[in-house]
């Protein structure tokens, strides 16, 4: 991490007063890149036969995060993870990042530095680089990120339409933790959540999926993959419909863990709702043969297309909703 | 252009009612792509030795465009041009586009279709494809686009820091037309601008720079390039400072044309202000040797670094401002 200090005269200054140049510098000092700063960034030469993959995702204040819950670092870090997970879901290696950010004029420059710090922390994690961006003023704080990735070798990308009956359904991380964390924050407020549940809060505010899992799964034979950004059943339904299969989850393999059960008891909620409909864990969900894949566990079986796209132990799931970015705030 | 008709039941419906899926479809029906719709898009294999370039730029309602001046088509088209110009300024060929769009809930779905139509019109012009995106609701209409491009062959990219004393300064399009168009719109309102000035209005609302000029300039020996997105003097100052040279403009070569002179007389304005500080024409500005470059005209000479980065006929320019995206709205 660079330790360049931003000039003291900017301390506590809002971006409208500091100006565009200082705001850009607040970011590029924390997350520098030799190829940033021209009209466009020229990416390193890829390996022979490697393909570039690209994805874009926006986070809007009040919709995707709450400024009274998330720190500036959390917001920057979460935006990177959300985009990198989409690259990983193709079986590719995240490579470069671009950031278009809209800021209300009263935003302190220190907040921008904090966002950049969160971005940088996650970028280092993935060995990525912030290669370009655009900052502009606007009424609402918004981060629109674009990530590029490298898909190397002869295997095809892991797509939504490439699941096959007979495969296993694999998962690489937590299911429902982010949703439980959000429910706890809504109930207690950010300062008063009982300490035992801090892992759930952390998962909601700044999930930290292990990097590189997507490449591992593709190399081990996974043909289809996505991440649970909108909800387990919701995201698997997309794979099931596009691949014309049924995805049958094993209720024992996805059963709520102890922490979810305790949180659910405390809030008088059904923990299965968090597991089945909670998104934003950015856990990779892969369809693969019977070879074990490092870092993944089996959570179900892919079957021939049936009446329902996703089932749990052969039955219709008890909860099937998911995140709708157009839902009421 | 595809002629698929969007289901009639969505006619006149706001996006909050139509939902996320219909809103995405309103875009992808107009600008379809075989590689859109997965977690990330896998781009076509590049030519051997080709490099990928990437850039991002956001347009915010009320700041970069006015909804009472610009049609939905204008907004979509202008956003593409703004991003493609940054790719061209590297000497590269624009290739793929991603769109992250924030929409107020009351936005009619027909408006989204209009934006997509404007995007598609410009994409076809550049032989580009819309390969991914993200739509979300938010208080302000905002389009954050990312463009990728291909840089083929052994020549380096045309960078901001690669101008050399002795080179000619070249320009490929209009200078000051967009700024004059904006001044006319401010004075008369969108319905009452005298007909003779419609080309200036068109240049402001939806500039149409000729595509492919950036590749031509790089192939012909240009080493540095940018586009006048923020203002002629402003953008050339960046090249002059990064390249440690002085850029001396020829006052005869950049003198306001008849149309600018007539508009300036009518509004009692100095047309040189539009030429020197007006941005958004997205005219390419290149530094090259003495070989003529198709589509470009000579507008000055690159000299050794002096006291001022940019001069006009050896003197300090009369106007030196430029677009500041953090300025008061």
């Amino acid at each position: 991490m660079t330790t360049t200090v931003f000039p003291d005269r900017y301390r506590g200054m809002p971006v409208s007063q500091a100006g565009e140049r200082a705001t850009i510098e607040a970011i590029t000092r924390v997350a520098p890149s030799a190829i940033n700063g021209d009209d466009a960034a020229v990416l390193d030469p890829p390996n022979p036969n490697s393909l570039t993959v690209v994805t874009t995702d926006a986070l809007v204040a009040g919709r995707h995060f709450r400024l009274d819950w998330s720190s500036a670092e959390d917001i920057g870090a979460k935006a990177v993870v959300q985009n990198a997970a989409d690259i990983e879901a193709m079986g590719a290696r995240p490579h470069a990042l671009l950031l278009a950010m809209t800021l209300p004029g009263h935003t302190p420059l220190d907040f921008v530095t904090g966002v950049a710090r969160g971005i940088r922390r996650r970028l280092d994690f993935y060995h990525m680089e912030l290669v370009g961006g655009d900052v502009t003023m606007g009424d609402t704080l918004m981060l629109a990120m674009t990530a590029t990735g490298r898909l190397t070798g002869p295997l095809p990308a892991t797509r939504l339409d490439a699941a096959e009956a007979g495969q296993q359904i694999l998962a690489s991380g937590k299911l429902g933790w982010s949703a439980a964390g959000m429910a706890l924050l809504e109930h207690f407020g950010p300062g008063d959540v009982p300490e035992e549940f801090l892992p759930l809060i952390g998962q909601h505010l700044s999930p930290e999926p292990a990097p590189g899992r997507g490449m591992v799964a593709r190399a081990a034979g996974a043909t289809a993959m996505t991440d649970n950004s909108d909800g387990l059943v919701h995201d698997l339904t997309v794979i099931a419909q596009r691949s014309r299969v049924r995805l049958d989850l094993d209720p024992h393999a996805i059963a709520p863990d102890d922490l979810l059960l305790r949180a659910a008891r405390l809030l008088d909620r059904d923990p299965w709702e968090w597991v089945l409909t909670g998104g934003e864990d950015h856990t990779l969900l892969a369809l693969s043969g019977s070879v074990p894949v490092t870092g993944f566990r089996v959570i179900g079986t892919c079957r021939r297309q049936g009446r329902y796209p996703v089932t749990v132990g052969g039955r219709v799931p008890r909860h099937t909703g998911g995140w709708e970015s157009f839902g009421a705030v």
Side-chain angles (χ1 to χ4, degrees), chain A residues 61-117:
Chain A
R63 181 158 287 273
H64 300 98
F65 58 86
R66 285 177 56 160
L67 285 163
D68 54 337
W69 289 1
S70 296
S71 69
E73 283 82 353
D74 288 339
I75 296 163
K78 188 166 184 169
V80 173
V81 166
Q82 175 181 271
N83 277 274
D86 282 334
I87 297 292
E88 293 234 38
M90 304 303 286
R93 185 175 73 75
H95 178 238
L97 189 85
L98 298 107
L99 166 68
M101 183 157 53
T102 305
L103 296 160
H106 59 74
T107 309
L109 200 62
D110 295 337
F111 181 89
V112 177
T113 305
V115 170
R117 223 179 278 126

Side-chain angles (χ1 to χ4, degrees), chain A residues 211-224:
Chain A
R213 290 270 186 271
M215 292 171 69
V216 168
R218 174 166 160 262
T223 57

Side-chain angles (χ1 to χ4, degrees), chain A residues 70-299:
Chain A
S70 296
S71 69
E73 283 82 353
D74 288 339
I75 296 163
K78 188 166 184 169
V80 173
V81 166
Q82 175 181 271
N83 277 274
D86 282 334
I87 297 292
E88 293 234 38
M90 304 303 286
R93 185 175 73 75
H95 178 238
L97 189 85
L98 298 107
L99 166 68
M101 183 157 53
T102 305
L103 296 160
H106 59 74
T107 309
L109 200 62
D110 295 337
F111 181 89
V112 177
T113 305
V115 170
R117 223 179 278 126
I119 289 173
R120 171 68 191 269
R121 205 173 65 218
R122 281 295 107 185
L123 287 180
D124 286 350
F125 204 59
Y126 288 103
H127 302 292
M128 295 177 81
E129 203 169 311
L130 182 67
V131 302
D134 185 27
V135 294
T136 188
M137 286 210 293
D139 297 336
T140 309
L141 176 65
M142 189 276 315
L143 282 78
M145 279 189 184
T146 300
T148 73
R150 291 277 164 75
L151 195 70
T152 309
L155 292 168
T158 41
R159 300 173 49 94
L160 297 169
D161 61 2
E164 288 163 33
Q167 287 182 316
Q168 293 181 328
I169 309 169
L170 308 177
S172 66
K174 304 296 183 190
L175 295 172
W177 275 40
S178 178
M182 189 169 92
L184 288 160
L185 282 164
E186 275 171 346
H187 186 83
F188 290 104
D192 298 313
V193 178
E195 203 174 327
E196 62 169 324
F197 299 122
L198 291 186
L200 302 178
I201 307 303
Q203 176 80 354
H204 179 67
L205 298 180
S206 184
E208 306 197 350
R213 290 270 186 271
M215 292 171 69
V216 168
R218 174 166 160 262
T223 57
M225 190 149 48
T226 193
D227 71 309
N228 78 328
S229 44
D230 296 333
L232 179 63
V233 172
H234 181 282
D235 292 313
L236 287 180
T237 296
V238 177
I239 290 187
Q241 289 177 336
R242 301 256 189 115
S243 301
R244 299 169 187 278
V245 294
R246 172 165 69 93
L247 298 177
D248 186 37
L249 294 163
D250 173 355
H252 303 289
I254 61 169
D257 59 26
D258 272 359
L259 202 55
L260 286 187
L261 289 173
R262 286 204 301 275
R265 255 195 312 272
L266 188 64
L267 301 181
D268 195 21
R269 295 277 293 267
D270 179 358
W272 280 96
E273 186 181 349
W274 295 331
V275 169
L276 295 171
T277 72
E280 296 197 298
D281 291 306
H282 299 297
T283 285
L284 288 174
L285 305 166
L287 276 291
S288 194
S290 53
V291 181
V293 182
T294 310
F296 286 79
R297 63 192 185 280
V298 179
I299 62 165

